[in-house]
């Protein structure tokens, strides 16, 4: 018996990678929190947060995750904590390797001075839901400008250079693209038209969702301007507004929420919806079309796929596989625009619940990994989080099996 087991292990070890990778790979937890843990570079910063009534970790729900690797700084994992309410000392953070009883310690990015204005200084960062990192080593931060449903500042896009951790540029949205307190800018996705090594990263388009007022906003770095696009497919469907997740019901009537793009199409879905939609990039990227009519070219928008239930964040890999985690049942799904069906990738229901942030990250060896923020939003919505349990997880799944299989 013992020897049989030994040979089985040996055989597995000797099998070529391609055969092994036909098996499903696992989702693994990288970081886990019972409650978010806010670290500070200095005791004075911590005291400042306390004095301003801004250190209530029980109010914090992490939303996004993004990974970056740098030969000098090593790999860094970013997360966002939007200011749904007060008590959040900073809204954009790096996860450190230091641990406390509730989980890994965060540090503010780029530093605490960017976060402590409480919405009174619009040159700082007010409240961030999601970010995007590009092949140009830039971190795109979409700041909603909203704290506890009050529009404290205009929404803005901040671009940080991840080599120097300094601000490269900023774009403040003007009232032609949003309505104060009614709009909520939550998700950016960036396409770089002149990537390195040959390009200079100066031709960038950023697509952003206004989840609350059901619009898409496009920013063009060459024109240094933004425009608004609206279409009926960006609205929530009331029939998909009540969700069941991990045995709990909650109501969330969010409109256009998740975004992903390949070279030709922009894919998107409202949260209260079971459909995925697409529109050609050549249409949404053309400012002239929407300049005087945000509802132009309604027939360029198409429904392209249907799911078993709603999902929140989505991401796309280099082989045009689009990933999303449905609510009921909780299932990591993969859909490819060239194939008519969704593929379900079983995942441990302990590890995946409400996946609010998702990115495909390419490691320095060129392999792609799916990184997800799973945050039990159903319990946040119902006010029944139990801080004795793990509530927030950053998880990772290698995509080697999927990509080798579809090759
Ligand atoms: C921060 O803003 C909140 C919400 O308006 C307010 O209650 C609080 O007093 C403010 N704190 C400071 C230090 O301004
Ligand atoms: C943008 O759209 C306008 C109006 O439809 C069209 O005339 C123009 O050629 C388009 N520009 C590009 C770059 O496709
Ligand atoms: C949009 O309206 C402005 C002002 O009326 C006009 O100058 C411009 O030509 C219009 N643009 C298009 C693409 O129709």
């Amino acid at each position: 018996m013992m020897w049989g087991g030994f040979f089985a292990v040996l055989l597995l070890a000797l099998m070529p990678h391609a055969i092994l990778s036909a098996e499903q790979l696992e989702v693994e937890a990288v970081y886990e929190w019972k409650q978010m843990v806010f670290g500070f570079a200095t005791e004075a910063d911590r005291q400042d947060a306390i004095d301003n009534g801004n250190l209530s970790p029980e109010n914090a729900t992490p939303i996004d995750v993004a990974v970056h690797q740098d030969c000098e700084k090593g790999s860094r994992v970013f997360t966002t904590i939007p200011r749904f309410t007060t008590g959040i000392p900073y809204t954009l953070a790096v996860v450190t390797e230091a641990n406390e009883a509730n989980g890994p310690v965060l540090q503010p990015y780029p530093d605490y001075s960017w976060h402590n204005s409480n919405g009174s200084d619009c040159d700082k960062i007010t409240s961030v839901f999601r970010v995007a990192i590009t092949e140009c080593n830039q971190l795109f931060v979409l700041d909603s400008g909203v704290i506890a449903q009050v529009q404290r500042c205009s929404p803005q896009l901040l671009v940080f250079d991840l080599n120097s951790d300094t601000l490269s540029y900023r774009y403040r949205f003007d009232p032609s693209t949003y309505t104060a307190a009614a709009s909520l800018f939550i998700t950016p996705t960036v396409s770089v038209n002149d990537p390195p090594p040959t390009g200079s990263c100066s031709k960038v388009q950023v697509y952003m969702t206004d989840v609350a007022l059901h619009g898409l906003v496009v920013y063009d770095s060459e024109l240094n301007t933004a425009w608004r696009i609206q279409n009926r497919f960006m609205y929530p469907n009331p029939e998909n507004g009540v969700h069941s997740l991990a045995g709990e019901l909650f109501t969330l009537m969010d409109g256009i929420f998740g975004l992903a793009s390949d070279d030709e199409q922009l894919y998107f879905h409202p949260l209260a919806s079971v459909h995925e939609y697409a529109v050609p990039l050549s249409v949404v990227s053309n400012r002239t079309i929407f300049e005087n009519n945000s509802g132009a070219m309604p027939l360029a928008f198409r429904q392209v796929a249907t799911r078993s239930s709603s999902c929140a964040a989505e991401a796309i890999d280099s082989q045009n596989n689009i990933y999303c985690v449905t609510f009921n049942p909780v299932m990591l799904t993969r859909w490819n625009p060239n194939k008519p069906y969704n593929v379900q990738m079983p995942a441990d229901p302990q590890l995946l619940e409400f996946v609010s942030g998702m990115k495909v990250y390419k490691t320095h060896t060129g392999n792609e990994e799916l990184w997800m923020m799973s945050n039990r939003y159903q319990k946040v919505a119902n006010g029944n989080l139990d801080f004795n349990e793990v509530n927030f997880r950053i998880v990772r799944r290698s995509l080697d099996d999927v990509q080798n299989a579809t090759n």
Side-chain angles (χ1 to χ4, degrees), residues 39-237:
F40 296 87
T42 67
E43 218 27 64
D45 287 352
R46 176 182 300 274
Q47 197 56 50
D48 181 78
I50 293 168
D51 293 347
N52 288 327
N54 262 340
L55 188 53
S56 309
E58 68 277 14
N59 291 353
T61 304
I63 293 290
D64 203 11
V65 60
V67 192
H68 181 250
Q69 178 122 24
D70 178 283
C71 39
E72 274 171 40
K73 296 176 202 286
S75 71
R76 290 191 291 184
V77 177
F78 296 86
T79 187
T80 57
I81 305 107
R83 288 177 159 136
F84 293 127
T85 173
T86 55
I88 311 300
Y90 44 87
T91 177
L92 173 61
V94 173
V95 185
T96 72
E97 297 304 317
N99 276 286
E100 288 188 7
N102 284 331
V105 179
L106 306 179
Q107 286 291 337
Y109 186 87
D111 62 52
Y112 180 68
S113 72
W114 274 91
H115 296 271
N116 62 354
S117 78
N118 206 21
S120 64
D121 180 351
C122 297
D123 284 345
K124 304 204 169 163
I125 302 175
T126 301
S127 181
V128 179
F129 285 78
R130 289 182 187 79
V131 296
I133 292 176
T134 66
E135 55 268 59
C136 304
N137 288 326
Q138 288 180 322
L139 175 70
F140 284 71
V141 177
L142 182 58
D143 180 357
S144 69
V146 174
I147 300 180
Q149 298 178 20
V150 178
Q151 189 84 47
R152 303 227 150 221
C153 298
S154 315
Q156 60 177 340
L157 191 61
L158 299 139
V159 183
F160 287 93
D161 176 342
L162 287 168
N163 297 316
S164 61
D165 295 327
T166 55
L167 185 70
S168 298
Y169 60 95
R170 174 200 309 264
Y171 181 80
R172 288 185 215 275
F173 294 94
D174 70 46
S176 68
T177 53
Y178 77 101
T179 302
S183 287
L184 193 62
F185 286 15
I186 62 162
T187 311
T189 186
V190 183
S191 99
V192 180
N193 301 323
D194 57 342
T198 49
S200 61
C201 299
S202 61
K203 298 177 183 174
V204 171
Q205 246 125 22
V206 188
Y207 307 96
M208 291 153 283
T209 63
D210 177 350
V211 69
L213 213 53
H214 323 131
L216 176 76
V217 174
V218 182
Y219 168 76
D220 183 303
S221 68
E222 281 183 290
L223 301 173
N224 193 35
T225 192
W227 55 95
R228 186 176 174 91
I229 300 173
Q230 298 188 152
N231 180 269
R232 67 194 175 100
F233 292 146
M234 299 174 185
Y235 283 70
N237 179 356

